[in-house]
Structures are given as C-alpha cells and as structure tokens.
Amino acid sequence: MLHPHAEVVICGAGIAGIAAAYHLAVKQGVRNVVLVDERAPMTLTSDKSTEAYRNWWPGPDDAMLRFMNRSIDLLEQLDTETDHRLRLNRRGYLYVTGEPAHVPALVASAKQAARLGAGALRVHAGSPHDPVYVPGAAEDWRDQPDGADLFLDPALIRRHFPYLNPDSLAALHARRCGWFSGQQLGMVMLEQAKAAGVRFLAGRIAEVDTRGGCMRAVRVATANGDELIETSRFINAAGPLVNDVGRLLGLDLPIFSELHLKLAFEDRRGVIPRDAPLVIWEDAQHLPWSAEERAALAESEATRDLLEVFPGGVHFRPEGGHSAQTVLLLWAYHLAPISPVFPVPIDPEFPEIVLRGTATLVPGLAAYLEKLPKSYVDGGYYTKTRENRPLLGPLPVEGAYILAALSGYGLMAACAGGELMAAHITGAALPEYAPAFLLSRYDDPAYQQQLATWGSTGQL
Ligand SMILES: Cc1cc2nc3c(=O)[nH]c(=O)nc-3n(C[C@H](O)[C@H](O)[C@H](O)COP(=O)(O)OP(=O)(O)OC[C@H]3O[C@@H](n4cnc5c(N)ncnc54)[C@H](O)[C@@H]3O)c2cc1C
C-alpha cells in the first residue's frame, strides 16, 4: 500500500517546531514539510513564557552568546519586516544585589560577558568621569545601546531606579535584552510556513519506524484514525515530552525538567513603573514576615519551610503598555528535577511567596501583602541539559534530529535554533557555535571533564 510521503516530519508545534518549519520551508525552500502536534500550536509551554530575551550569557565560553546574538538579529529582522508586530523592545535586564559579597561576582560576570562579545561595559561609580547612562526606550529596540551599564554607586541606583530596595549596592543593566510577543513570533512564522506549503496535522506521533537504524516512517494517531507518513527526516521538537518521543526512537536523552511558575497581577497602586526593565534580585533571602507571622509559621511542620532561606533570582517585568497595570512575577525556588505532568501542578502558596520575595526587591509591593491582589498563576517546565545548553542537531538514528532542551530561553533562541536545525537538514554551512549543541558532545571525554568545572549558565 502506498503511504503519503513527507520530506520532513516535525513532532511538536511549540516555538521550536514552528521555527524549524519556518526556516525549512520559507528560508530554505524545502517542500512537503509536515508539522504534527496533538495540541493546538503554541499551547503547552510556549505560551507560558515571560517572553523575555537577552544576549547576556557570561560564559563559560561564547557559544550561547553568539547563538543568542544571532537569534536577536533574526528577531529584529522579523520585527522590522512585520511592521513591529512582535512588539520587540530593548528595555534590558537589570540584575541587582544588596549583598556586599556578591558585588565582585557581578562585576566579574559583566567583564566576562563584554569580553565574550555582549558589547561594551560602561561603569558608573559616581565619579565626574563616568560615561553617560542612556535610559532604555520603553517600546522599541532601534537606536538603543547594547553592552551593559554597571552601577557601583548606591546613590546612582536610587536616582535611576527609585522603586528598588534602598539597600541595593550594585546593579547591572544588560542592554541587548528585553521582551516581545512570543505568541506573535509563533503566529508570524506559522502563517508564513503554511503559506510556503507546510501542512499542520493534528495528532500524536505514536510510533516511529527506524528499521535498519534509519528513519522510515511515523504513525500519527489522529481523531480520524491513524495516519502513516513515510519520511527519511524527522525532528523531535516535543518540548517537555522530548524524552517520550526520544524513546520512540530507542534513545534515552540526557535531559531533565524543572517546574517554573509565573504570577500575573494587577498593580493598581502603580508601584512598578510601566517603563521598567526586567529586574532580577540576585540575592538569596528570608521572606519578610512580621514577628507574629514568624512565630505562627514556626508552630506547624507544614509551614516551617516558609522560614527557610529562599534562593536568589526572584524577578519581575511589567506586561502591556502604559495604560495597562499587569506585572509578571517569577521565582523558581523549587528546582528539583521532576517528571512533567499536565496540567502543571500549581503551588497554592506561590502568589504569596513570590509577592513577598519581590517585596524585598521592591519594598512598595509590601502594600499588597495585607490583601493579595487579584492574580493569575500559570507555568510550565524548563527542560534542560546538565549544562543548560540545547540539544540541536542529528541524533544517532540516521535521519532523526532534535531541537529541544530549550530550558528558559526557547522563545529567544527560536529564530537561530530553527535556522541551525534547517542548516543541519539541508547541508547548508553551519555556524561556529553548532558543535556546542550537538548530542554527540557528550561522547567526548574532554567535554565531560570540562563539564565538571562549569557552573550553570543561568536560570532566567
Ligand atoms: C514560566 C516560564 C517562563 C519562561 N520564560 C521564558 C522567557 O522569558 N524567554 C524565553 O526565551 N523562554 C522562556 N521560557 C522557556 C520557553 O517557554 C520554552 O523554552 C519554549 O516554550 C519551549 O518550546 P518547545 O517548542 O520546545 O516546547 P513546547 O512549547 O512545550 O512545545 C512542544 C510541543 O510538542 C507537542 N508534542 C509533544 N509530544 C508529542 C507527540 N508525541 N506527538 C505530537 N505532538 C507532541 C506538544 O503538544 C507541544 O505542543 C519560559 C518557560 C516557562 C515555563
């Protein structure tokens, strides 16, 4: 019996699969690409994102930084081509610390990122010879500085960011960073991919035929029964389910998932300026409780952990224009690897914990602690490799590829990730960062050894 044939079948219509389809069909002219998803496009993880981006990747080498610089180049091109439909801005990420011991690490990471290619570092130490600080434009990315502004004078931090904790000692404003509409990015690429002939098929990849060690066919379970598609090229872009699909190929992938939640609330008091950047408190902290609250929490086993130290990394950004009031708050304080389940489990204490934690960074938010404002929580999984770099390239089964483990940076990496995936498939020239993302990097004993000396390359 003759079965339909596809040049490439992509499993997953999150941002990764859509970007691969777009680059294959629109940019490389590959015909007969089938994009398969059991859900509506962009609805599992890709619509839960904070939609932020950064070229701020201080090491340990320049692979991630170059990859993201390329991705941001492509994002800027697409924003221009679509008349600013992506709403791309460049407000920056502001990393803040009130911990004297942390200041040297912030300075060192700033110097390293500048050395690796993130752009010039401008140090503001309160001296008359300081360079000029150019505040970010709220809604656009054009004509904005790149590199970073490092504030080492608390009085300057108070002047430029008066809403922050007055004990802030150092603040690093990384500039080729900001946010955009991830949903629009997905829709723009999907519309163009479909116009270039990509077929979207609603269904689940239930089986993969790899007889003889190479890709032959996939079986898709659809509402109208099974569809068998013959193909010699298959991309696993299944997001947090990438290991389930990997097992259909007979592979066990070196990835794990963390749960990350996000709170959206209405800042009716206008505590956070609408043109603020994305702001991150670097320091670990004890949540600010009153003495009575502390005593009450200490009494019960169930609440005692709320008195423990919480990790650094609580962050926020305003969402929407000047007339909106929404603010997004995030804090991944439970980083233990977990098996993804859907719908994601929502910690009922998350709104209170993240609001308290952010009140350390922005004391004005404490006004909301008496009565928590109306809020909405969602979230998803960061699916990661040990060193927080993607898996992007061929798999050990001939004709099978992976575009996954995009952790907390899948939206910002999508454009360069899709481009690199398409280059692997069509045989186009590969950029110099390509080897850093291959699964086969783990076969190299020297790489394994090097890994032991690397810390995580960042959570946000
Ligand atoms: C709270 C939070 C905040 C984040 N913030 C940011 C941010 O600010 N910036 C940023 O760049 N990134 C951010 N991320 C990360 C980003 O959202 C992810 O990296 C990205 O969405 C992953 O995209 P994906 O396409 O790989 O996965 P997904 O969006 O999960 O898509 C995978 C798709 O595969 C489909 N699928 C799986 N198995 C099968 C199968 N067998 N058959 C058919 N279909 C299948 C699923 O239905 C799903 O639609 C954040 C993530 C979270 C959770």
Side-chain angles (χ1 to χ4, degrees):
M1 182 183 160
L2 273 182
H3 293 293
H5 172 269
E7 204 56 46
V8 184
V9 171
I10 303 170
C11 175
I15 198 69
I18 290 174
Y22 167 85
H23 277 278
L24 282 166
V26 179
K27 296 292 182 182
Q28 300 294 332
V30 176
R31 294 289 155 253
N32 201 357
V33 174
V34 180
L35 179 62
V36 183
D37 204 307
E38 56 185 327
R39 298 175 175 82
M42 299 283 295
T43 56
L44 186 61
T45 315
S46 296
D47 61 346
K48 312 298 185 303
S49 155
T50 319
E51 306 174 296
Y53 74 93
R54 61 177 161 123
N55 80 338
W56 200 252
W57 295 86
D61 61 23
D62 64 359
M64 285 299 282
L65 200 149
R66 282 173 185 271
F67 178 54
M68 288 304 174
N69 264 337
R70 174 66 186 154
S71 215
I72 298 166
D73 289 346
L74 294 173
L75 268 176
E76 290 174 352
Q77 272 174 29
L78 212 49
D79 192 53
T80 302
E81 280 165 28
T82 57
D83 202 15
H84 199 38
R85 188 170 153 192
L86 305 189
R87 317 301 305 167
L88 183 72
N89 71 39
R90 201 191 275 190
R91 296 188 188 194
Y93 278 29
L94 187 70
Y95 299 90
V96 187
T97 180
E99 187 60 63
H102 189 65
V103 176
L106 200 64
V107 174
S109 78
K111 288 184 175 162
Q112 192 184 13
R115 241 187 347 262
L116 292 176
L121 178 64
R122 296 167 292 274
V123 179
H124 306 267
S127 119
H129 308 296
D130 278 357
V132 175
Y133 171 64
V134 180
E139 304 303 345
D140 211 344
W141 52 269
R142 292 171 191 83
D143 306 318
Q144 295 296 302
D146 65 3
D149 292 276
L150 176 61
F151 296 94
L152 296 173
D153 175 10
L156 280 180
I157 299 173
R158 279 195 293 279
R159 185 192 314 157
H160 293 297
F161 310 102
Y163 49 95
L164 295 182
N165 186 325
D167 295 334
S168 302
L169 287 176
L172 176 71
H173 193 184
R175 307 304 296 265
R176 200 178 189 209
C177 314
W179 58 89
F180 58 97
S181 168
Q183 202 63 18
Q184 287 302 321
L185 173 65
M187 287 307 120
V188 164
M189 291 195 293
L190 187 58
E191 284 162 15
Q192 294 193 23
K194 282 181 173 172
V198 170
R199 175 162 81 106
F200 176 74
L201 177 60
R204 181 171 52 86
I205 301 273
E207 206 179 333
V208 179
D209 180 353
T210 60
R211 271 170 303 143
C214 63
M215 271 307 304
R216 294 180 182 278
V218 295
R219 182 168 63 80
V220 184
T222 78
N224 304 318
D226 284 5
E227 189 169 326
L228 193 78
I229 305 174
E230 292 181 344
T231 185
S232 58
R233 300 264 186 278
F234 173 72
I235 302 173
N236 180 356
L241 301 169
V242 65
N243 229 345
D244 295 348
V245 176
R247 277 189 280 272
L248 298 179
L249 290 156
L251 303 171
D252 193 18
L253 300 166
I255 52 113
F256 61 96
S257 288
E258 290 166 356
L259 179 64
H260 286 245
L261 299 178
K262 173 170 104 255
L263 177 92
F265 86 100
E266 297 302 297
D267 177 20
R268 297 199 194 289
R269 295 170 185 263
V271 175
I272 290 176
R274 297 308 302 168
D275 55 1
L278 185 148
V279 187
I280 304 126
W281 186 243
E282 292 272 283
D283 305 339
Q285 60 169 295
H286 286 98
L287 293 178
W289 302 107
S290 69
E292 297 94 69
E293 286 166 335
R294 259 199 302 278
L297 292 168
E299 275 171 19
S300 160
E301 187 70 38
T303 53
R304 217 165 285 155
D305 58 344
L306 295 173
L307 299 173
E308 301 287 310
V309 67
F310 279 67
V314 67
H315 58 288
F316 72 82
R317 74 160 178 86
E319 164 63 15
H322 277 91
S323 56
Q325 296 181 314
T326 310
V327 175
L328 307 179
L329 309 183
L330 294 99
W331 201 6
Y333 47 83
H334 287 143
L335 289 177
I338 54 171
S339 292
V341 289
F342 299 96
V344 299
I346 304 280
D347 175 359
E349 285 170 346
F350 183 72
E352 162 118 46
I353 291 176
V354 74
L355 190 56
R356 274 186 193 272
T358 316
T360 299
L361 168 57
V362 180
L365 290 177
Y368 293 115
L369 291 176
E370 286 224 331
K371 186 173 181 305
L372 291 185
K374 210 168 112 204
S375 62
Y376 176 77
V377 180
D378 68 6
Y381 299 95
Y382 281 20
T383 299
K384 307 170 70 168
T385 59
R386 176 181 161 194
E387 74 278 41
N388 206 21
R389 290 186 167 194
L391 291 177
L392 208 170
L395 288 168
V397 174
E398 194 186 325
Y401 297 80
I402 186 163
L403 173 46
L406 293 167
S407 184
Y409 52 77
L411 268 291
M412 65 181 96
C415 293
E419 180 184 60
L420 179 52
M421 185 77 269
H424 276 295
I425 288 192
T426 60
L430 297 176
E432 72 268 44
Y433 49 73
F437 308 143
L438 296 174
L439 174 65
S440 58
R441 66 192 189 251
Y442 298 113
D443 299 340
D444 177 1
Y447 184 76
Q448 291 281 6
Q449 225 168 17
Q450 197 182 19
L451 265 188
T453 65
W454 287 5
S456 164
T457 48
Q459 297 291 341
L460 299 184

